[in-house]
């Protein structure tokens, strides 16, 4: 996962071989993900979301598509629901929010408990006492917005400058070693794919300011909660 290209990072001042620049970009990308708590590339995820009384499941990230919705119940016996039992809205569409909307109306006589004579979908939700749903799908932006790409390029250069030997107190980017002459002598590309914990800053106030419009911090932001 990378939010900018090697050429963009070089234009922002990052130096070294293509592999070295790519490693600085990877470090910058991880910091941006931690700061914004957004995904700026399509990413497969499994999300567990609370179900509101009206059947709305607000999703914590921008949703692109949903392949499965399964109620979370105590005995873990609930089946994956057919697509007729829910619909998806995405902030990719102006005015919409990222959510799975469980259908209160309708029924499915092939699903035990959701038959027309049992109250349909609403009867099944009440029977399960469902408070959460497990949503499997693809989340994130189609591609990194231009401002995010610019921020990533600037941050890659910033991290590299921090790692210079002249800055004894700087935190070095993961996967990179710098010798006494400032040369990159080791690169590791095994960037973790596990969820990135939140961070209050990217380490650069300039980059933080560029990304403030993409922070995933509350219900009032388009793109999730």
């Amino acid at each position: 996962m990378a939010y900018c290209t090697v050429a963009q990072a070089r234009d922002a001042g990052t130096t070294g071989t293509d592999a070295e620049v790519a490693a600085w970009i990877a470090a910058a990308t991880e910091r941006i993900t931690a700061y914004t708590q957004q995904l700026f590339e399509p990413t497969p995820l499994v999300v567990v979301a609370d179900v509101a009384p009206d059947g709305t499941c607000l999703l914590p990230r921008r949703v692109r598509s949903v392949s499965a919705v399964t109620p979370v119940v105590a005995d873990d016996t609930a089946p994956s629901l057919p697509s007729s039992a829910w619909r998806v809205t995405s902030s990719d569409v102006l005015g919409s929010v990222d959510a799975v909307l469980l259908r209160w109306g309708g029924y499915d006589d092939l699903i035990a408990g959701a038959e027309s004579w049992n109250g349909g979908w609403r009867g099944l939700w009440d029977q399960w006492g469902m408070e959460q749903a497990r949503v499997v799908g693809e989340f994130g932006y189609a591609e990194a917005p231009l401002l995010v790409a610019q921020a990533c390029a600037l941050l890659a250069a910033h991290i590299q400058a921090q790692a210079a030997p002249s800055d004894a107190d700087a935190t070095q980017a993961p996967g990179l070693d710098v010798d006494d002459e400032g040369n990159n002598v080791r690169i590791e590309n095994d960037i973790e794919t596990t969820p990135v914990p939140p961070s209050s800053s990217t380490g650069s106030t300039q980059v933080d300011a560029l990304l403030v419009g993409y922070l995933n911090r509350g219900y009032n932001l388009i793109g999730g909660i």
Side-chain angles (χ1 to χ4, degrees):
M1 180 182 292
Y3 294 156
C4 72
T5 65
V6 169
Q8 288 172 317
R10 288 192 190 282
D11 288 343
T14 311
T15 60
T17 66
D18 285 357
E20 289 169 339
V21 174
W24 294 116
I25 291 172
T29 295
E30 183 171 344
R31 288 198 189 185
I32 288 172
T33 300
Y35 177 58
T36 63
Q37 286 297 290
Q38 294 277 20
L39 297 170
F40 295 107
E41 290 184 341
T43 305
L45 284 180
V46 178
V47 172
V48 174
D50 292 338
V51 179
D54 65 353
T56 300
C57 303
L58 290 175
L59 300 174
R61 299 186 187 277
R62 178 176 293 231
V63 64
R64 305 199 58 75
S65 63
V66 170
S67 57
V69 176
T70 306
V72 176
V73 294
D75 57 6
D76 202 28
T77 59
S80 182
L81 300 174
S83 58
S84 58
W86 45 268
R87 67 184 180 89
V88 179
T89 62
S90 173
S91 56
D92 269 349
V93 179
L94 185 64
S96 294
V97 296
D98 296 295
V100 168
L101 308 176
L102 301 178
R103 296 187 185 279
W104 292 123
Y107 60 90
D108 190 329
D109 289 338
L110 300 179
I111 301 292
E115 303 93 345
S116 54
W117 57 87
N118 277 330
W121 294 120
R122 179 60 185 265
L124 186 59
W125 309 150
D126 291 343
Q127 173 186 317
W128 279 334
M130 188 172 64
E131 296 182 356
Q132 292 185 314
R134 183 179 294 106
V135 180
V136 180
E138 187 178 70
F139 295 79
Y141 285 67
E143 60 183 358
L146 179 59
L147 200 60
V148 174
Q150 292 172 340
C152 184
L154 288 171
L155 187 58
H158 175 79
I159 296 172
Q160 185 181 46
Q162 278 191 315
S166 59
D167 189 352
D169 297 326
T171 301
Q172 190 168 301
L176 292 160
D177 279 342
V178 181
D179 64 18
D180 292 338
E181 297 179 355
N183 300 311
N184 300 324
V185 295
R186 177 177 64 89
I187 298 176
E188 294 179 358
N189 291 319
D190 54 340
I191 302 299
E192 293 292 333
T193 57
T194 52
V196 178
S199 172
S200 60
S201 174
T202 62
S204 165
T205 55
Q206 180 184 12
V207 172
D208 289 352
L210 287 174
L211 295 173
V212 69
Y214 293 97
L215 296 183
N216 192 1
R217 294 289 193 265
Y219 289 92
N220 60 320
L221 294 180
I222 291 179
I225 58 174

